[in-house]
Amino acid sequence: MQKTHTCGELRKEHVGQIVTLAGWVHRRRDHGGVIFVDLRDRFGITQVVINPARVTPETFRLGESLRNEYVVQAIGEVCERPAGMSNPKLATGDIEVMVQTLRVLNPSRTPPITINDDSIEQDESLRLKYRYLDLRRERMTYNLTVRHRLVKFIRDYLDARGFLEIETPILFKSTPEGAREYLVPSRLYSGHFYALPQSPQQLKQLLMVAGIERYFQIARCFRDEDQRADRQPEFTQLDMEMSFVDHDDVLNVVEGLLTAFTEEYHHLHGKRLLYKPFPRFSFHDVMERFGRDKPDIRFGMELFDISEAMRGTSFLPFQAAHVKGFVAPGCAHYTRKQTDELTEFIRQKGARGLIVLWHDADGYRPSGAGAKLSDAEKQAIMRISNSQPGDLVLLAADDNRMKLNEALGELRHELGNRLKLGDPNVMAFLWVMDFPMFSFNAEEQRWVANHHLFTAPAEEDLPYLETDPGRVRGNQYDLVCNGYEVAGGSIRIHRRDVQERVMRVLGLSMEEAYQKFGHMLDAFEYGAPPHGGIAAGIDRLAMLYAGASNLREVIAFPKNQQAADVMLGVPSRVSPQQLEELHIRIAVEEEELTA
Ligand code: ASP
């Protein structure tokens, strides 16, 4: 090794030792002819001192030439810092290394981003272009460390419980599970394609047919979807499958794992569980109470229902089947401009409008459209909402209850974020269960699976599969944390006849079904055990534990929001020869598309 210690390692007990350190110049300060260098490596920072009285003139001149991010090796003696000079913020703050010899292993150009001060907000495109510099920042090293710990913990935890980690192929078969796929053209078979897996779903089920019983994988998944803040075209899942289980067994493994990680690594991530055990909600209840299938339950602001109280109202906006709302605590100081903006927000989420009541010291302020409500109606609202002086009451109405819940849920979520109601040091996990198995896509006039087509229908709903698909519940579950869906899974169908019935509901002809999923249907005829599983988003969990603001912060080399890697220049063109080998001709050039 070109160093005897890391830059985070030396303490008082090393005083007197001659050590060799190597790392990057984090900062250089000149004080009265003495040069102080903060030398950094991944493990920490050590102060290195170049004193002209102790080194040759050449070494001192070398010290003077040092700039930020030069790679340096320093040999010297560990000394206790003079009285009053220790730095309690640094783990190595009691000592410094008095340089004897110094080598510049590699100079550096001035970095285009700031590496030595995490408090500076920096342009993300520049950070992504120079990701290898960005990752040198303490914050990013921390994020990668949290992620590593999580994955390592998962591997050990599941290994101890009899799970086998098994890799499944990346060159997979095109069997769209919902999202658009990435395709890889085959050279050997003209006109044929591999597809990158959206998840190892089918293969993990086949592993259950193969008798593995307990499988997991830290699996890369690929989905060609439009990008959002919490999406990446390629992402990592903890993928799991178990045989001879009910949903409780699957939930217990995941809950046990995340509870243990949260508690055992508290010293690293500083997060604690809000609820233990994780509460369970039905899909119906989360939609009624929070208006979102992935609610943030770190704060209240639950939806209330005033539909009954508004029956027969002469207030036109509330002449609808359903009237609901929630209380924004302490927001009575909001101006009309602010509430107009909330109205605009909820309209974009599908609501017809928003009625706002300001709760002052002496009741609801007579202003805004809500002033037209009768006194009795206002009293009913005050009673049901339990609003207090200083609060703002937000109300909306619609004949479509689901639409109303969703719009209010988005507004609740948005306000919760703006008001910073969620404690950042808390992980509020919850399970959502009893989802409807299918929803009707009005545009395409067909039923689509809410999870995926391998999900088992609830046993007691099987008779309605063909006659009333809308009332069939799926044996599926989601894990939610702080407003994010962090895992989802289901008990699977393991019988060919049931699988075929579900495929028919989804509008697949048996020919099509067999062409796409013949391997599954066949496998189910050879003693497929009952099985179920789940997949948890590693990127999302790492983001939440690291307290990062988006997924890109916990992925070493992420794609940007246009699905591109600006450092590598990906996607890129390939040579005509490569295209020829793949039997591909470009029919439409990019310029023609954007023209
Ligand atoms: N394959 C599913 C997904 O990626 C998870 C599962 O059902 O286990 O969402």
Side-chain angles (χ1 to χ4, degrees), residues 199 201 204 223 237 451-452 488-490 492 533-535:
S199 84
Q201 182 61 38
K204 69 174 170 177
R223 295 182 195 177
Q237 270 183 186
H451 190 50
H452 51 58
S490 61
R492 325 296 184 188
I534 192 165

Side-chain angles (χ1 to χ4, degrees), residues 476-529:
Q476 69 194 63
Y477 29 80
D478 274 358
L479 182 65
V480 172
C481 183
N482 298 1
Y484 292 92
E485 183 194 323
V486 292
S490 61
I491 296 300
R492 325 296 184 188
I493 298 168
H494 65 282
R495 281 184 12 214
R496 179 169 181 149
D497 57 330
V498 180
Q499 186 67 74
E500 287 184 347
R501 285 174 65 192
V502 167
M503 286 172 165
R504 258 184 238 116
V505 174
L506 295 171
L508 279 174
S509 73
M510 276 309 102
E511 210 180 17
E512 228 181 319
Y514 199 77
Q515 188 213 339
K516 279 188 181 155
F517 304 111
H519 49 281
M520 300 293 284
L521 296 170
D522 284 346
F524 287 168
E525 291 193 300
Y526 291 96

Side-chain angles (χ1 to χ4, degrees), residues 355-371:
I355 299 299
V356 181
L357 296 173
W358 284 261
H359 196 148
D360 285 343
D362 30 54
Y364 289 145
R365 188 189 305 167
S367 66

Side-chain angles (χ1 to χ4, degrees), residues 107-169:
S108 169
R109 285 163 60 183
T110 304
I113 59 170
T114 305
I115 294 169
N116 61 11
D117 187 353
D118 274 343
S119 66
I120 295 175
E121 215 24 79
Q122 312 202 58
D123 175 43
E124 200 193 12
S125 54
L126 211 52
R127 287 179 53 205
L128 290 173
K129 179 151 172 59
Y130 295 95
R131 192 58 153 184
Y132 45 86
L133 298 178
D134 189 42
L135 293 177
R136 286 185 193 166
R137 294 165 48 221
E138 192 184 353
R139 174 74 218 183
M140 294 306 281
T141 312
Y142 169 77
N143 288 355
L144 293 182
T145 306
V146 170
R147 186 183 176 117
H148 161 78
R149 274 295 143 225
L150 173 64
V151 172
K152 169 90 168 77
F153 190 88
I154 288 170
R155 288 202 155 106
D156 293 343
Y157 188 92
L158 294 179
D159 172 64
R161 283 156 185 80
F163 284 80
L164 285 190
E165 181 171 8
I166 300 175
E167 288 168 81
T168 53

